[in-house]
Amino acid sequence: MIELKNITKIFQEKSQRHVALSDVSLTVEKGEIVGVIGESGAGKSTLIRCVNLLERPTSGEVWVNGKNLMLLNSSQLIEARSNIGMIFQNFNLLSSRTVFENIAFPLELRKTPNTEIKKRVCELVDLIGLTDKVHNYPASLSGGQKQRVAIARTLATNPQVLLSDEATSALDPTTTQSILALLKDINKELGITILLITHEMEVVKEICDQIAVINEGKLIEKGSVSEIFSHPKTELTQRFISSSLRIDIPIDYQKRLVLEPQLNKHPLLKLQITGNSVDEPILSEIARKFNINSNIISAQMDYAGGIKFGVMLTEFIGDAEQELLAMEYLKNKNIKVTLLGYV
Ligand SMILES: Nc1ncnc2c1ncn2[C@@H]1O[C@H](COP(=O)(O)OP(=O)(O)OP(=O)(O)O)[C@@H](O)[C@H]1O
């Protein structure tokens, strides 16, 4: 449905030349949800804006639904864009129009008859669960409700593609979940292809089929959610995965923590577990093979794309030499072992 081929975007400001995207290729199949994740300034917004040519690539090809948008004249481009909806972090609602009037707006521009507009808006407010707010103005809505209205407005003209530019970044975690659930429903029930950009792994983990990682204008990794979570290839992707799992050393452990081995102190370890390793009973193996008792201090396991992954803070209590052998054993099992010190 979307194919970006070798996209390069260079911003030229006076003598300053900035390469925002460098030879980026990305395919989104019909009906898929693809998430592009990257840090601030990586080029995410530029990339998504290239899909509907809000930003024109310096070179490369942009194909949407079988058309090379770069070759269209302005009226053909307007037509092609009507098939591509877009939602934004700051919702972009018209404050002087009610919910009804905001959703009706793109239909009015198309000179749709009033009876048809009324019918379509009623369907859409029902879809987004805001029938009781249909005559409210945006100022009286919560952030999540505003984003729902923005989604309904973009769906009014039945686009086949929805672009989401950090649509949940301004929302709290619970509201984020409800908006993501709405996007997933739209994808499933209406068959709309979704390309979203975000800086949060939580978002892509929740609803995406494929994840692409962008860094300094280059696409550095792409795969299914399970591939990315089980075998992250780059340090940056690993960091994104870890950022969705928070684990802190409790204060009393921090007080006792020393960096060098000491008599009667034992290693405090952070174990990062991805993919297949997690299905093995690693701690009981460690106990059996190395006579190590694991004292789990905290742990967080999660599930994405059919893959379990997680992080665990644990103290290994045993003979010093065996403790080292046990750490090596875990490393060979695809577990990232970080020695935090001794407690
Ligand atoms: N119109 C512009 N003129 C000049 N440079 C620009 C322009 N738009 C973006 N850039 C530069 O291109 C790079 C990529 O910007 P972009 O907004 O795509 O990043 P991003 O990943 O979306 O970041 P953020 O998450 O902070 O929005 C940045 O270094 C930015 O300064």
Side-chain angles (χ1 to χ4, degrees):
M1 181 58 86
I2 302 173
E3 197 174 1
L4 302 176
K5 290 189 189 170
N6 310 100
I7 297 293
T8 292
K9 175 70 190 180
I10 299 169
F11 290 107
Q12 187 85 42
E13 276 182 340
K14 295 179 188 153
S15 59
Q16 293 268 37
R17 186 174 180 271
H18 185 88
V19 182
L21 295 174
S22 176
D23 198 23
V24 172
S25 295
L26 177 71
T27 305
V28 183
E29 302 293 343
K30 188 171 166 42
E32 254 185 354
I33 305 184
V34 173
V36 178
I37 185 164
E39 292 176 321
S40 181
K44 304 180 297 292
S45 291
T46 308
L47 181 70
I48 205 162
R49 288 163 63 83
C50 280
V51 177
N52 53 8
L53 295 198
L54 281 180
E55 211 67 80
R56 205 172 178 89
T58 310
S59 62
E61 293 175 17
V62 178
W63 291 79
V64 178
N65 201 17
K67 286 197 184 87
N68 182 352
L69 302 196
M70 301 280 280
L71 299 181
L72 303 184
N73 64 30
S74 51
S75 59
Q76 289 168 327
L77 187 57
I78 290 170
E79 175 63 29
R81 274 188 184 142
S82 68
N83 190 32
I84 309 171
M86 191 163 189
I87 52 173
F88 304 87
Q89 179 175 355
N90 55 2
F91 325 121
N92 287 1
L93 296 180
L94 298 165
S95 58
S96 59
R97 286 181 153 242
T98 63
V99 166
F100 184 100
E101 290 162 348
N102 262 285
I103 300 172
F105 190 57
L107 298 171
E108 287 169 16
L109 291 181
R110 285 186 160 195
K111 310 227 179 311
T112 309
N114 279 343
T115 47
E116 226 175 280
I117 291 182
K118 203 166 174 202
K119 183 167 170 284
R120 184 75 184 127
V121 174
C122 286
E123 282 167 12
L124 288 163
V125 284
D126 183 42
L127 177 81
I128 60 169
L130 285 182
T131 304
D132 56 332
K133 305 266 186 214
V134 73
H135 298 303
N136 283 42
Y137 285 90
S140 68
L141 302 178
S142 69
Q145 290 167 339
K146 284 180 195 163
Q147 195 57 284
R148 285 174 181 271
V149 176
I151 291 170
R153 181 181 58 184
T154 208
L155 293 181
T157 51
N158 290 311
Q160 285 179 287
V161 172
L162 178 62
L163 306 177
S164 166
D165 185 349
E166 297 274 11
T168 55
S169 294
L171 306 174
D172 64 56
T174 313
T175 314
T176 293
Q177 292 298 322
S178 74
I179 294 294
L180 293 177
L182 177 62
L183 291 178
K184 187 89 190 167
D185 281 352
I186 288 167
N187 164 258
K188 276 214 169 119
E189 277 161 36
L190 309 178
I192 294 181
T193 306
I194 300 179
L195 176 64
L196 62 87
I197 60 161
T198 179
H199 61 277
E200 293 170 307
M201 202 49 146
E202 282 298 319
V203 171
V204 287
K205 188 187 82 188
E206 209 60 38
I207 61 165
C208 293
D209 302 305
Q210 299 275 328
I211 302 176
V213 184
I214 190 169
N215 187 37
E216 295 178 354
K218 294 195 178 76
L219 213 71
I220 57 168
E221 206 163 335
K222 185 179 176 219
S224 67
V225 175
S226 60
E227 279 162 0
I228 294 282
F229 273 80
S230 55
H231 301 294
K233 292 193 189 77
T234 60
E235 187 62 36
L236 178 66
T237 308
Q238 181 65 59
R239 255 195 288 135
F240 275 122
I241 294 173
S242 304
S243 70
S244 68
L245 298 163
R246 293 192 74 87
I247 209 147
D248 297 317
I249 305 174
I251 294 199
D252 62 319
Y253 277 84
Q254 282 179 31
K255 284 185 186 154
R256 288 192 280 125
L257 190 72
V258 294
L259 294 180
E260 297 300 325
Q262 270 183 23
L263 201 62
N264 296 329
K265 285 202 179 259
H266 298 281
L268 179 67
L269 304 174
K270 183 163 96 172
L271 307 181
Q272 281 165 273
I273 300 155
T274 50
N276 301 330
S277 54
V278 80
D279 283 330
E280 297 181 24
I282 46 167
L283 295 183
S284 53
E285 278 178 26
I286 294 288
R288 205 159 19 87
K289 285 187 195 300
F290 305 99
N291 203 18
I292 298 277
N293 284 318
S294 308
N295 175 23
I296 299 173
I297 297 155
S298 54
Q300 196 188 342
M301 301 304 296
D302 211 333
Y303 202 73
I307 292 286
K308 273 191 279 180
F309 64 100
V311 60
M312 188 189 292
L313 200 61
T314 179
E315 188 184 356
F316 268 14
I317 303 167
D319 176 75
E321 205 173 305
Q322 296 296 305
E323 288 168 354
L324 286 174
L325 288 174
M327 283 186 243
E328 269 320 297
Y329 178 81
L330 291 183
K331 284 180 192 166
N332 290 332
K333 289 270 173 191
N334 226 354
I335 293 171
K336 187 169 175 201
V337 180
T338 311
L339 176 61
L340 301 169
Y342 299 83
V343 287

